[in-house]
Amino acid sequence: MNMKRVNFGTSLALVCISLLLLFTPIAAAETETEQESVSTHAKAAALIDVESGRILYSSHADEPMLIASLTKIMTAIVAIENGDLSSKVKVGKNAFAKEGSSLFLRQGEEMTLENMLYGLMLRSGNDAATAIAEHVGGSEEGFVYLMNAKAEALGLGHTHFANPHGLDAKEHYSTANDLAELTAYALHNPVFKDIVKTQMKTADNPYDKWDYKWSNKNKMLRLYDGADGVKTGYTKKALRCLVSSASRGGQQLVAVTLNDGNDWNDHATLLNFGFNRFPLKTIIERGEKLKGYELAAGLNFSYPLKQGEQERIVTELVLNSKRGAKKRADKNFGLRGTLVLKLGNAPIGKVPVYEPGRLPPETSPYMEKYASTSAYPADTWLQAASSALRALFRFGAEGGVSHD
């Protein structure tokens, strides 16, 4: 469909792009790592803003590494999206007495998928991971297929899973950047978000008079003000791994470190750096009128910006062509086009624009179609295109025990 070229205030450039832009993710602004401003003891590290997906810091963050029980972030979100939380998970022989960290479930024991997920994420039960995988995927292999399909769908081009628990294995790896993007995605799911911020959980125990009582191994929940997730990890080969999240002033950040002997302190440093250096700024509010046009923004748009960056934001308005525009607008709640936002020359997101007074409800399926794509992680589409390269990365096959 042809687009109409328009001017939008003094900050708009002339544009002519296809309708595909309206529905295709666009790369985020350049990701300035600013290593001189923050440092960690980690072999690899990343920091991401959850709402926008902007990588705020990275160090060796695209290097594939062992990730131990950080694997269970993917296990949890795949199970939540594909399983029935109220269904009963039965502990089979493969899950019973699984090596490494455990919930000490008995063979034949049954527990709701929801409770099993709490045990998975709070206590890092490898027995729970295997039981969940067999329940949701039909087999461990079937579930691992779902994990890798999800990784590919999210554009995690340097990630591959061989199991649902994170014990060291050949072709089981990820990167700090991929884990940051995966976690930012998962935290948009309210079930996942509630589980990982829980400090203590009780669950029915069919074999004893007392309930299971699980305390969260993630010390960041107690050590850092505003912490609300996510997952610890450790094997003898991967060493200490951690993904943490915290919220402050309406902004949520996720920090990732791999092979870091001082991870609690390093995560506090990373999160402080992000909140102080890249506060979330509201650029456009839903319903805001576009200067010079009888149009209104259909979504709120916020983005983490360091000092001096807000002045560099420019916008480009792309309108549907006149031909058939009214018919399409009537069909699509008055949709007239899209507003593309850029930081310098790099697109950071887009907002649909409507005829005033004809904005669809925020909770409508049409609006939800845009809600998760109003801003985009850096290089996601490039990572998706390179997913076939994941087979180039290999690790030794010797197993390791997950003790986190």
Side-chain angles (χ1 to χ4, degrees):
M1 181 183 299
N2 294 327
M3 296 291 180
K4 179 181 178 182
R5 298 185 180 184
V6 297
N7 290 317
F8 180 56
T10 58
S11 63
L12 289 178
L14 294 176
V15 296
C16 183
I17 60 177
S18 71
L19 183 61
L20 183 62
L21 177 62
L22 191 58
F23 303 102
T24 303
I26 45 185
E30 63 273 13
T31 57
E32 299 181 30
T33 57
E34 304 202 21
Q35 270 87 349
E36 75 279 1
S37 300
V38 63
S39 63
T40 72
H41 299 82
K43 186 174 180 181
L47 179 70
I48 193 171
D49 174 78
V50 169
E51 180 170 338
S52 68
R54 184 181 187 183
I55 298 288
L56 308 180
Y57 171 84
S58 64
S59 175
H60 304 286
D62 287 323
E63 179 182 342
M65 295 174 61
L66 297 170
I67 60 171
S69 285
L70 302 189
T71 299
K72 290 163 183 159
I73 296 170
M74 179 63 89
T75 302
I77 193 61
V78 168
I80 291 167
E81 291 182 346
N82 292 277
D84 177 356
L85 294 177
S86 64
S87 63
K88 289 295 184 73
V89 178
K90 188 172 184 178
V91 180
K93 62 180 182 179
N94 294 326
F96 173 66
K98 191 72 177 180
E99 63 180 308
S101 55
S102 180
L103 299 183
F104 304 103
L105 302 171
R106 302 191 187 190
Q107 187 169 348
E109 181 174 352
E110 293 186 349
M111 180 182 293
T112 65
L113 176 58
E114 182 177 17
N115 282 341
M116 194 77 78
L117 286 165
Y118 275 94
L120 175 81
M121 298 305 284
L122 272 62
R123 299 305 300 171
S124 201
N126 291 341
D127 49 357
T130 303
I132 289 168
E134 292 180 338
H135 176 76
V136 175
S139 66
E140 185 170 314
E141 294 76 16
F143 189 82
V144 169
Y145 175 85
L146 294 177
M147 296 171 72
N148 286 317
K150 189 67 178 181
E152 185 171 0
L154 293 175
L156 308 182
H158 302 302
T159 294
H160 191 271
F161 298 101
N163 61 61
H165 39 68
L167 295 176
D168 301 335
K170 185 179 181 180
E171 297 190 32
H172 191 92
Y173 52 82
S174 188
T175 68
N177 273 345
D178 277 8
L179 287 167
E181 293 185 14
L182 168 63
T183 306
Y185 168 82
L187 284 169
H188 283 87
N189 183 291
V191 175
F192 181 92
K193 189 172 184 177
D194 284 344
I195 290 173
V196 298
K197 71 181 181 182
T198 300
Q199 295 201 38
M200 185 72 69
K201 174 67 175 178
T202 59
D204 292 337
N205 184 340
Y207 298 103
D208 292 303
K209 295 180 180 180
W210 53 86
D211 291 337
Y212 286 111
K213 191 174 184 178
W214 300 316
S215 60
N216 200 319
K217 289 186 177 183
N218 181 9
K219 293 182 181 179
M220 287 296 290
L221 295 174
R222 297 176 285 279
L223 295 174
Y224 190 84
D225 186 28
D228 46 22
V230 174
K231 189 71 188 74
T232 60
Y234 176 83
T235 68
K236 289 182 179 179
K237 288 187 175 182
L239 299 178
R240 293 180 64 88
C241 302
L242 180 63
V243 174
S244 69
S245 65
S247 298
R248 184 180 298 174
Q251 180 178 21
Q252 186 173 28
L253 303 180
V254 165
V256 180
T257 54
L258 303 177
N259 190 345
D260 185 350
N262 193 26
D263 48 10
W264 307 122
N265 289 326
D266 285 343
H267 276 244
T269 298
L270 284 168
L271 292 167
N272 286 338
F273 167 78
F275 286 126
N276 294 333
R277 195 66 175 271
F278 291 90
L280 195 65
K281 301 285 189 181
T282 299
I283 310 302
I284 294 175
E285 294 184 358
R286 172 177 158 84
E288 181 178 339
K289 298 288 183 65
L290 275 61
K291 185 178 179 181
Y293 294 90
E294 287 299 313
L295 296 170
L299 288 175
N300 292 324
F301 183 87
S302 299
Y303 203 74
L305 298 168
K306 66 180 181 179
Q307 186 174 4
E309 284 189 327
Q310 190 155 358
E311 292 74 17
R312 295 172 54 205
I313 291 197
V314 295
T315 54
E316 296 177 351
L317 179 62
V318 182
L319 294 178
N320 297 342
S321 65
K322 286 185 177 180
R323 184 178 180 182
K326 187 178 188 307
K327 182 177 180 181
R328 288 189 298 274
D330 290 340
K331 182 179 179 181
N332 296 322
F333 297 96
L335 177 68
R336 291 291 305 280
T338 186
L339 188 66
V340 179
L341 296 98
K342 294 184 177 183
L343 179 54
N345 293 321
I348 59 173
K350 60 191 176 183
V351 175
V353 295
Y354 299 85
E355 297 170 1
R358 298 198 62 196
L359 275 67
E362 289 185 272
T363 56
S364 74
Y366 187 78
M367 186 58 73
E368 289 174 358
K369 179 178 183 179
Y370 288 95
S372 62
T373 56
S374 57
Y376 302 95
D379 300 328
T380 294
W381 65 277
L382 291 174
Q383 291 173 356
S386 65
S387 61
L389 298 178
R390 63 182 54 165
L392 296 176
F393 304 106
R394 293 291 185 268
F395 287 95
E398 291 124 79
V401 179
S402 175
H403 299 287
D404 63 320

